[in-house]
Structures are given as C-alpha cells and as structure tokens.
Amino acid sequence: MKKIIILSTFLFTNMIMMAQTEFRAITFQQAIDAAKVEKKMVFIDFYTDWCGPCKMMARDVFPQKNVGDYFNAHFVCIKLNAEKGEGKDYARQFKIDGYPSFLIVNADGKEVGRHVGGSSADKFIDKIEAIRNPDLTPARLTERYLSGERNAELIQAYASMLMDNAPLGGNTREDYRRIYFAHVDKVNKVVQDYFTGLSDADKMKPENFFVYRKYTRSVQEAPARFLAANRKKFAPELQQEVTDMLNQLYMDDINACLSAGNIGNTEKIRLMKKEIKQLRLNKDGHYDGPFAFLDHNADTPTQFASCIDQHFRKLDGKSQIELIDGLMGRFANASQEEKTVLARSIRNQLPDMELDVIFMATMIIPELEGTTNRH
C-alpha cells in the first residue's frame, strides 16, 4: 500500500511538472549550449525578491498548462535573480531596468527581444510569440493584413496588436472614452469581417474560437447567433465549450440590463428568457436570480428591496456589482423613504459580499440614503 501511495505521489508530481513552465536550474552559458542542441532560443525571466509582479507571474501564469506547453516547446527557460550571482552580471550586460523583464536570446547569446511587466497568460504568450516569430512583428502583421492574407493566426495576432496600440488621446474623460471605443469598434470590425468570410465548417474549428471568446460582446452579434443556431453541430468534444461561451454572452447581456436599470430592455429580456429556455441553458437555475431582478414583479422600490432580500445571494459577484451600480438610475424618481428601504436591503447583504462588491455598495448606499453626492 505504501508503494502505491509513493508511486501515485510521484506520478501526480510529474503531471504537475509537465503542465507548467520548466525553468531549468542551469547557468546562462549552459542554457545557450542546450539551446544549440535542442534548436531553440533561450527565455530568461529576470526577477528580484521584492518584485510583486514577478511573484504574480511565478504563482499565477507560469504554472498554467497552456503557458507551459508553449514555453517548453520553443525555449530553454531559466530564471536569473537580477540582484544576485550571475544574474546581477547579466542584468547589467543586458541593461535590465524594470521587473520582471523577460528576454528572448538566440543560440549565439544575442538578444532577440524583450517584454517588461506582468500580464495575463494569453496576452503574455501573444507578446512573446510576436518576438519569437518575425512574421508576427507589428510591421509584418500590418503588411500581411493589407496584402489580403486572412487566417486565424494572422487575424488574432493583428487584432491583438491593434488593441495594444490603442490611442490614448483626448482632453477629457469623455473624449478619451470616445476615441478609445472608436478604436475598439475598428478592431472588432477587422475580426467580424474575417468571421463573415468563413464557411460554416471553418466557423466551427477550434482555431477560430478566439472570435467568440475575445471579440463577441453580445448574444445579438453574428458570431453568437451562429453559436446558438449550431450548438449541436460542433464536434462533441467542443460542445461544452460552446455552451460555456453562450452562457457567458447571455450573462454579459443580462448584467448590462441590470446595470442599466432595465430601462428600455423589456423586449430584449423577453427574447433572452425565451432563447435560454429553448437552448436549455438554465438546467441548474443559475439564471433565476438575475431574471428575478428584471421581472415586472420587481418594478417598484419596495418590490425590488424584497427581491434583494430573497435573491441577492444567488447572483455572482459581477452581477451584484452591476445591480448595485444601476440602482440610482433605476429608481431616480423614487422617494427618499423608498431609497432608504433599498439601502437597508443592500446593507443587510454586506456580511456576505466579496470585497469588490462591498466597495461598490459603500459608494451607493450613502447616495440612496441621501447622505452624500456621488462623484
């Protein structure tokens, strides 16, 4: 029995190691030598003991399987402490002045490119791949796109590059938002035009799922309509992911209605209820809570307060935030007494709220109670 436990522990440990980025305990020169033999480049994580983003990347990003699969396939990976041992010397040689700094070095020991700072797993892979692959540099991506080339890798990389270079102009917050969202619309058009040109068979390929995951914002958009209409036609192993994406899109639209206070959304909500039922997406009842707040039985402040008492805990954190944020708009014309009732119901939920929900609640409660102005 003891041998079985030891063997199971060994296998489990090795499975974890296989699923994460393999940073080798070797010197810089040994990494260069290994890169020559393995026909790879060297990936160097320059970190310090005090760097918060360094710790975040080590804890949250590098252990992810998709990150490990990518880096282990393309690089000999090492970590160098920029303030200790040989890491200090190489940090000086490569002029490292921000942490974490991630360097790509070829088998001759020359820098190919670098990325500074932490980021999410998908974005981090995109950044490093753009350095590793000359065809994914901003200039080359633009050239390829303007020449008429269209494929999943190009469109995903080109759209990501465009988003990373969003303009930051404008003298006011409103100007900034107008300029930024106009740019977002431009990027989305690039992706949507690509999607429109795909055959139905291509729209079902995993390589094109980035359109649904990253560039579809509502169940009313064409990619979401395609998912809903063809959910059972996707390969069996992909159908759960399709269902998850549809659920996320419906919840995004529902949260937008919660935040907007249901103003002008009656027909949209009716259609969403109908479609969710037709698609059998509410088997576990997770839509019941949000829809309770969008129902006509929650039209008045008193009814809504009662709904908070009964259903608020059924909402996830994001839905709770959107609901609270929309309260003042939803009941702008309510009496002070009615607003105070709403504030009391929100206060009663505070002990069970997550921190980010509490933050939103503590801004809205004084407004409802008439004790402060919202800025």
Side-chain angles (χ1 to χ4, degrees), residues 195 200-201 203-204 212 222-235 239 242 246 279:
F195 181 81
D200 284 359
K203 290 175 182 176
M204 296 184 190
Y212 310 116
R225 306 318 300 164
F226 181 85
L227 285 178
N230 297 278
R231 184 168 61 126
K232 295 300 184 181
K233 297 179 183 178
F234 282 81
Q239 288 183 16
V242 171
L246 279 169
L279 293 167

Side-chain angles (χ1 to χ4, degrees), residues 233-245:
K233 297 179 183 178
F234 282 81
E237 66 272 16
L238 299 175
Q239 288 183 16
Q240 184 57 53
E241 186 172 2
V242 171
T243 298
D244 292 343
M245 289 189 291

Side-chain angles (χ1 to χ4, degrees), residues 145-163:
Y145 182 79
L146 294 178
S147 72
E149 182 181 344
R150 298 292 183 270
N151 58 65
E153 179 193 56
L154 169 63
I155 297 300
Q156 187 169 5
Y158 182 62
S160 180
M161 182 271 291
L162 289 176
M163 284 304 303

Side-chain angles (χ1 to χ4, degrees), residues 23 42-47 51 53-58 61-62 71 78-79 96 98-105 111-119 124 127-128 131:
F23 285 99
V42 177
F43 174 80
I44 308 172
D45 175 2
F46 279 102
Y47 71 98
C51 167
C54 302
K55 295 175 182 177
M56 181 278 291
M57 293 293 291
V61 175
F62 288 121
F71 281 93
I78 61 172
K79 285 179 173 285
I96 303 299
Y99 305 102
S101 281
F102 305 104
L103 258 66
I104 308 299
V105 177
E111 179 182 342
V112 175
R114 69 177 65 191
H115 173 65
V116 181
S119 64
F124 187 60
K127 292 282 189 184
I128 300 303
I131 296 171

Side-chain angles (χ1 to χ4, degrees), residues 137-343:
T137 61
R140 181 67 181 130
L141 283 172
T142 302
E143 179 185 358
R144 291 169 64 192
Y145 182 79
L146 294 178
S147 72
E149 182 181 344
R150 298 292 183 270
N151 58 65
E153 179 193 56
L154 169 63
I155 297 300
Q156 187 169 5
Y158 182 62
S160 180
M161 182 271 291
L162 289 176
M163 284 304 303
D164 287 343
N165 290 282
L168 300 176
N171 296 321
T172 66
R173 184 171 181 268
E174 289 71 23
D175 284 344
Y176 169 80
R177 288 173 58 84
R178 176 178 52 78
I179 294 170
Y180 176 77
F181 284 112
H183 182 78
V184 170
D185 288 341
K186 174 184 175 183
V187 176
N188 282 325
K189 187 175 187 307
V190 167
V191 178
Q192 299 301 329
D193 286 350
Y194 165 73
F195 181 81
T196 300
L198 295 174
S199 66
D200 284 359
D202 285 337
K203 290 175 182 176
M204 296 184 190
K205 291 181 178 178
E207 68 194 48
N208 287 312
F209 272 30
F210 76 94
V211 176
Y212 310 116
R213 293 193 200 100
K214 297 175 67 174
Y215 297 100
T216 303
R217 297 172 292 180
S218 166
V219 290
Q220 305 305 316
E221 294 179 2
R225 306 318 300 164
F226 181 85
L227 285 178
N230 297 278
R231 184 168 61 126
K232 295 300 184 181
K233 297 179 183 178
F234 282 81
E237 66 272 16
L238 299 175
Q239 288 183 16
Q240 184 57 53
E241 186 172 2
V242 171
T243 298
D244 292 343
M245 289 189 291
L246 279 169
N247 273 317
Q248 185 60 60
L249 288 165
Y250 275 109
M251 281 307 305
D252 287 345
D253 275 15
I254 288 170
N255 284 336
C257 292
L258 290 173
S259 181
N262 198 17
I263 299 171
N265 288 316
T266 303
E267 181 61 17
K268 180 179 180 180
I269 292 166
R270 186 190 71 78
L271 287 174
M272 283 196 293
K273 280 185 177 180
K274 179 181 177 182
E275 290 173 1
I276 287 169
K277 182 177 181 180
Q278 289 174 338
L279 293 167
R280 299 173 61 83
L281 295 176
N282 197 31
K283 292 178 181 179
D284 60 357
H286 70 280
Y287 287 101
D288 294 345
F291 276 132
F293 290 95
L294 298 173
D295 191 83
H296 287 300
N297 293 324
D299 281 345
T300 71
T302 302
Q303 291 172 331
F304 204 86
S306 176
C307 206
I308 291 173
D309 297 335
Q310 296 178 55
H311 301 290
F312 189 82
R313 292 178 181 85
K314 299 176 184 177
L315 306 180
D316 63 23
K318 185 174 181 182
S319 294
Q320 290 177 350
I321 289 174
E322 298 294 350
L323 176 78
I324 294 172
D325 189 42
L327 275 177
M328 286 302 295
R330 185 182 190 116
F331 298 111
N333 297 321
S335 68
Q336 185 54 59
E337 182 180 355
E338 290 172 322
K339 290 178 182 178
T340 300
V341 171
L342 288 167

